[in-house]
Amino acid sequence: MNKVYFILMLVFVLNACNTKKQEVNDADFPPLEHPFFAQNPPGSTPEIFAPRMVSAVNSEPTAAFSPDTEEIYFRRTDEELENHALVAIQYQGNLWTESFMVPRGISPDGKTMHIGNEYRERTSSGWSEVKSLGTPFDSIPIMRLTASSKGTYYFDTSPFYDKSDRVGTISYSRLVNGIREEPRTLELDMGRKKAHPFIAPDESYLIWDDRKEGGYGSGDMYISFRQKDGSWGAAINLGEPINTEYYDGSGSVTSDGKYFFFTRFPNNKKTTMWVDAGFIEALRSKK
């Protein structure tokens, strides 16, 4: 990585209020172009996403895009940093602006950023301060919460990396006539370590991480499709080449439905991957 750029990153992390604006061809910043940093779209084999930028150092969870793909949010880590660098990159007026915030998941309309059991709302000047989801969510240890277009929450309640035998859960909470229902545990064919759910905007499928017999590695991703009667179908392993001998997880689909992003841990290093999302319809046709 460019040493000058790395030093700048350290300065930004130490002062989270700072932001950096740079022209596309700034010598201290990797050249970037919109969309997706001038990368050729991937095919059916996952590729490293933005290796000079997003995957230049450890980043997790998987990058989250705004609906117009002109903003990307991800967490960046480094051994020399005590805390995560919480990064937002925005493309505006031929300038890239990098700042630090707390990303986890963005609602389909791009107006809400979910942060476990908290959230931020988009304002005319950026994002609001962190707010609590309130009772009962404020007492639930949520790692990842995603929302459908109807406002239904899907979220996990147990750390995936917990080495104990505790059974994790994925729950949901519907929004009915403007009132949030009490969370309910999702009845689905899952393993013990289910985590990091992603719900399709139309709630036609759910993707999550799990550890089940017959998997490919230390953690695999699975998908279940909504049936005509409203129930959920059997868990389907996403298979190779998406799941590997390594941990693969934290999957999400861009708002246009074209690309699937996830995190891979080769040799315990976090790498953001992306792949054509066509495999979802292929799996749906075989269910």
Side-chain angles (χ1 to χ4, degrees), residues 66-228:
S66 62
D68 60 9
T69 71
E70 292 191 353
E71 299 172 347
I72 179 174
Y73 305 87
F74 59 94
R75 291 193 295 172
R76 176 177 289 157
T77 63
D78 188 271
E79 293 178 355
E80 297 184 20
L81 304 178
E82 181 178 353
N83 298 312
H84 293 295
L86 307 170
V87 183
I89 301 176
Q90 299 170 310
Y91 185 77
Q92 297 176 337
N94 206 37
L95 293 175
W96 287 97
T97 302
E98 181 169 300
S99 59
F100 295 88
M101 51 182 13
V102 186
R104 287 290 178 85
I106 300 176
S107 61
D109 61 9
K111 296 181 180 180
T112 305
M113 179 181 292
H114 298 289
I115 315 158
N117 52 21
E118 299 176 321
Y119 69 100
R120 292 176 186 257
E121 292 180 311
R122 188 181 290 278
T123 69
S124 59
S125 59
W127 292 95
S128 70
E129 294 298 316
V130 175
K131 303 177 182 181
S132 172
L133 289 177
T135 305
F137 303 98
D138 54 2
S139 62
I140 300 175
I142 300 172
M143 279 197 301
R144 188 186 204 186
L145 182 151
T146 60
S148 69
S149 295
K150 294 187 295 185
T152 304
Y153 291 163
Y154 286 79
F155 56 92
D156 52 13
T157 58
S158 179
F160 189 86
Y161 306 107
D162 187 344
K163 295 182 179 179
S164 72
D165 290 330
R166 286 195 305 164
V167 177
T169 62
I170 290 181
S171 303
Y172 68 98
S173 173
R174 298 183 303 170
L175 190 62
V176 181
N177 297 324
I179 299 176
R180 178 68 55 187
E181 290 187 327
E182 287 290 318
R184 303 179 184 181
T185 300
L186 191 65
E187 298 297 332
L188 211 161
D189 172 28
M190 295 180 172
R192 298 180 63 84
K193 294 289 187 177
K194 38 196 172 287
H196 304 127
F198 171 79
I199 187 65
D202 62 359
E203 297 186 43
S204 63
Y205 63 84
L206 178 75
I207 296 175
W208 72 97
D209 309 356
D210 216 333
R211 287 177 181 162
K212 298 183 64 174
E213 292 185 6
Y216 290 83
S218 60
D220 289 348
M221 288 177 288
Y222 292 80
I223 189 170
S224 173
F225 294 97
R226 178 87 74 171
Q227 307 300 294
K228 291 182 179 180

